[in-house]
């Protein structure tokens, strides 16, 4: 079939116009065909996950570096104190929480891509401050630097998800947004590799090299985004249809006059007008208040969507995954059961990286809701097994032997090495379930459920929830497992297992299926169905055709 014949067939249902744009009644033809160039543009945006992953991952190993410990504490110190560990790890999450809250407003004011670029610049400033660690007051430098860098990561983590959700084709949106989580895992792995390679250095380069490498990620993402278009949905929200047309044409690899572009843009415009009637423009405070309007019992209310987005990110943090990536090195050291804890941590990160691409297929084949359900089930089984083995014959049971170094402290040896190996295996399986389900799934859903008028703030609030709970867990975990406080050892996995059980119940009752729908169709689906029946819902009309019919009858 010739291109002309194909286009004629494809656009045959088009019989109306919205603001001069061709509109279609066919729900399967509301999106332009996508070229490989467009896929690459969408995929590049996911590179922002490197920030998140590397910043989360490098501190785990740095906290176990002898040079860093002595710089922050005192000469001869064996570990960073519980209070300082809590402060150093959690302060990044505190900064990202604030950054994510602010980013929603900034993204509506200057655009999605420029907000991410601004986040890169803030991140660079934070890295420069961290590099000062070792001179003057090392603790102050690392804390302030991570706080400032956190602001930049907050901008990036919220708005990259928003940007990707708004530019990705609907049929592969889940897979492409899952690429963000994949980049997070790559960032964690790169951090583990760098830390492992520098841990034996005898000077401050042991921790300054891992910190300095962060410059690379900011330069690549910020520099690359300069050449990419902004979100067409952002331009529609601003009323700039010409800029939206240009951006969409670049994203879809089509000519601006193509009827493909006209039809897709008409659907976006019609939906924006429909949502604007429901959520009218108001003051700055009023626009924030819109996020919390509606009934708690109405599945399509803004309040329910905001609660869904924020609670979904809360549940992702409650799985306990960041306990593994933040504290696995000092935790495994405290058990005395593992001789090379850095190597074990790196193995965990490799499992994380290799498992995440599975979601590229499953999230589009089985759907978001399905993988979240099975992921929660797999995680809770693994967590409870780790806890049960640990308290009976594993991590919690060791004996002391004299140090091989004269004058050194006694060394703990596990009573049952096989049991400890089994625990490590189940932790790795837990990471597999997380990385292939909840890791990408939570990010995908929050980018899809909010209507355009509150999308930037909704995604910002959801991302802020992730970082808020990230902060809380980072603060309390050292006290839960620290030898001088909670000393829970393996029992901490009972906590994570119980919370994964809560995530399973939560998903079953509250998380809708958004697979294969445009962002505009997701609005309609949540209006007409419930989470438990959402997978069966199919669109029957388009916003553009409804708008055209309404105009024709006036």
């Amino acid at each position: 079939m010739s291109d002309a014949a194909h286009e004629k067939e494809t656009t045959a249902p088009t019989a109306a116009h919205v603001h001069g744009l061709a509109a279609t009644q066919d729900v399967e033809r509301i999106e332009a065909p996508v070229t490989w160039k467009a896929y690459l543009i969408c995929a590049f945006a996911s590179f922002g996950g490197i920030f998140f992953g590397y910043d989360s991952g490098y501190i785990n190993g740095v906290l176990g570096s002898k040079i860093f410990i002595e710089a922050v504490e005192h000469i001869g110190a064996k570990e960073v104190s519980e209070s300082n560990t809590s402060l150093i790890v959690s302060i990044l999450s505190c900064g990202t929480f604030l950054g994510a809250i602010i980013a929603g407003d900034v993204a509506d004011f200057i655009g999605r891509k420029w907000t991410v670029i601004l986040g890169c610049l803030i991140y660079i400033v934070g890295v420069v401050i961290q590099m000062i660690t070792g001179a003057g007051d090392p603790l102050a430098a690392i804390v302030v630097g991570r706080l400032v860098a956190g602001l930049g990561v907050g901008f990036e983590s919220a708005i990259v998800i928003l940007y990707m959700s708004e530019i990705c084709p609907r049929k592969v949106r889940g897979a492409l947004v899952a690429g963000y989580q994949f980049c997070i895992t790559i960032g964690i792995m790169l951090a583990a590799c760098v830390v492992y390679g520098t841990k034996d250095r005898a000077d401050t380069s042991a921790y300054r090299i891992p910190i300095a490498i962060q410059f690379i990620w900011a330069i690549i993402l910020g520099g690359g985004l300069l050449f990419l278009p902004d979100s067409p949905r952002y331009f529609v929200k601003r009323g700039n249809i010409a800029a939206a047309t240009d951006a969409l044409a670049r994203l879809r690899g089509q000519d601006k006059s193509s009827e493909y572009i006209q039809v897709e843009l008409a659907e976006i415009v019609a939906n924006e007008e429909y949502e604007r009637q429901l959520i009218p423009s108001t003051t700055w405070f009023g626009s924030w208040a819109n996020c919390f309007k509606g009934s708690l019992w109405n599945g399509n209310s803004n309040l329910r969507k905001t609660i869904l987005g924020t609670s979904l990110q809360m549940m992702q943090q409650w799985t306990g995954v960041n306990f593994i990536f933040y504290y696995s090195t000092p935790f495994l050291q405290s058990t005395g059961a593992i001789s090379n804890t850095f190597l074990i941590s790196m193995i965990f990160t490799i499992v994380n990286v290799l498992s995440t691409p599975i979601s590229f297929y499953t999230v589009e084949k089985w759907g978001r809701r399905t993988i979240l359900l099975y992921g929660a089930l797999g995680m809770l089984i693994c967590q409870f097994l780790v806890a049960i083995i640990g308290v009976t014959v594993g991590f919690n049971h060791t004996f002391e032997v004299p140090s091989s170094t004269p004058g050194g402290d006694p060394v703990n040896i596990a009573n049952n090495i096989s049991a400890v190996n089994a625990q490590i295996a189940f932790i790795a399986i837990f990471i597999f379930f997380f990385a292939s389900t909840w890791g990408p799934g939570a990010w995908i859903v929050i980018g899809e459920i909010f209507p355009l008028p509150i999308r930037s703030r909704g995604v910002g609030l959801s991302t802020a929830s992730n970082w808020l709970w990230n902060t809380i867990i980072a603060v309390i975990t050292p006290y839960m497992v620290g030898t001088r406080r909670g000393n829970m050892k393996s029992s901490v996995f009972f906590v994570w297992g119980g919370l994964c059980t809560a995530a399973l119940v939560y998903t079953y009752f509250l998380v809708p299926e958004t697979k294969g729908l445009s962002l505009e169709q997701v609005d309609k689906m949540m209006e007409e169905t419930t989470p438990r029946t959402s997978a069966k819902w199919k669109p029957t009309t388009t916003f553009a055709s409804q708008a055209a019919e309404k105009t024709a009858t006036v």
Side-chain angles (χ1 to χ4, degrees), residues 88-99:
I88 291 170
V89 174
S90 64
I91 197 67
L92 176 87
S93 302
C94 181
T96 51
F97 171 79
L98 296 173

Side-chain angles (χ1 to χ4, degrees), residues 88-354:
I88 291 170
V89 174
S90 64
I91 197 67
L92 176 87
S93 302
C94 181
T96 51
F97 171 79
L98 296 173
I101 291 289
I102 298 169
D105 280 333
V106 178
D108 276 348
F109 183 67
I110 65 173
R112 281 46 165 155
K113 85 167 188 176
W114 290 108
T115 302
V116 177
I117 292 171
L118 177 60
C120 291
L121 296 176
I122 296 172
Y123 184 76
I124 287 173
V125 173
V127 174
V128 170
I129 297 173
Q130 289 179 70
M131 288 294 293
I132 303 172
T133 301
D137 188 339
L139 180 62
I142 193 71
V143 168
V144 174
R146 281 175 63 78
L147 176 64
V148 175
L151 286 170
V153 175
F155 273 52
E156 176 274 325
S157 60
I159 306 307
V160 164
I161 291 297
L162 173 64
Y163 179 62
M164 292 185 68
S165 296
E166 291 191 341
I167 68 173
C168 289
R170 61 184 172 126
K171 292 184 179 179
V172 292
R173 186 177 60 241
L176 288 170
V177 176
Y180 177 80
Q181 176 67 22
F182 183 50
C183 285
I184 291 177
T185 66
I186 291 176
I188 294 173
M189 184 184 71
L190 289 173
C193 292
V194 172
V195 168
Y196 189 67
T198 61
K199 68 183 180 68
D200 294 326
R201 287 176 170 264
D203 55 26
T204 58
S205 64
Y207 59 86
R208 279 181 165 156
I209 289 176
I211 292 172
I213 286 177
Q214 296 173 99
F215 283 113
I216 298 173
W217 320 137
I219 292 170
I220 292 175
L221 180 63
L225 280 176
L226 289 172
F227 302 97
L228 300 187
D230 212 323
S231 163
R233 287 176 168 89
Y234 160 72
F235 288 123
V236 167
K237 183 175 181 179
R238 302 286 289 187
N240 191 342
I241 304 301
T245 303
D246 182 66
L248 187 61
R250 291 178 62 190
L251 287 169
R252 300 294 184 252
Q254 300 282 336
D255 187 85
K256 287 189 290 185
S257 61
S258 166
E259 196 161 0
Y260 290 125
I261 299 301
Q262 298 281 308
V263 166
E264 182 170 356
L265 192 58
E267 183 71 359
I268 296 172
V269 171
N271 173 259
E272 196 276 338
E273 292 182 345
Y274 171 77
E275 295 291 351
R276 186 63 63 195
Q277 292 173 1
L278 300 177
I279 313 171
S281 298
T282 181
T283 62
W284 175 85
F285 179 81
S287 61
W288 271 105
N290 282 334
C291 295
F292 304 96
K293 286 185 176 179
S295 169
L296 186 62
W297 312 113
N298 177 5
N300 193 45
S301 72
N302 290 350
L303 175 62
R304 272 287 290 270
K305 290 176 179 178
T306 299
I307 291 175
L308 175 61
T310 54
S311 59
L312 192 66
Q313 290 292 333
M314 175 185 74
M315 287 292 175
Q316 189 201 60
Q317 291 302 301
W318 277 9
T319 61
V321 68
N322 278 333
F323 168 75
I324 304 299
F325 292 117
Y326 283 166
Y327 295 114
S328 62
T329 297
F331 176 71
L332 292 176
Q333 286 173 341
S334 72
T335 66
I338 306 297
S339 59
N340 193 339
T341 53
F342 280 97
L343 182 58
I344 293 297
S345 293
M346 194 181 306
I347 290 173
F348 288 160
T349 63
I350 292 172
V351 171
N352 196 26
V353 170
L354 296 180

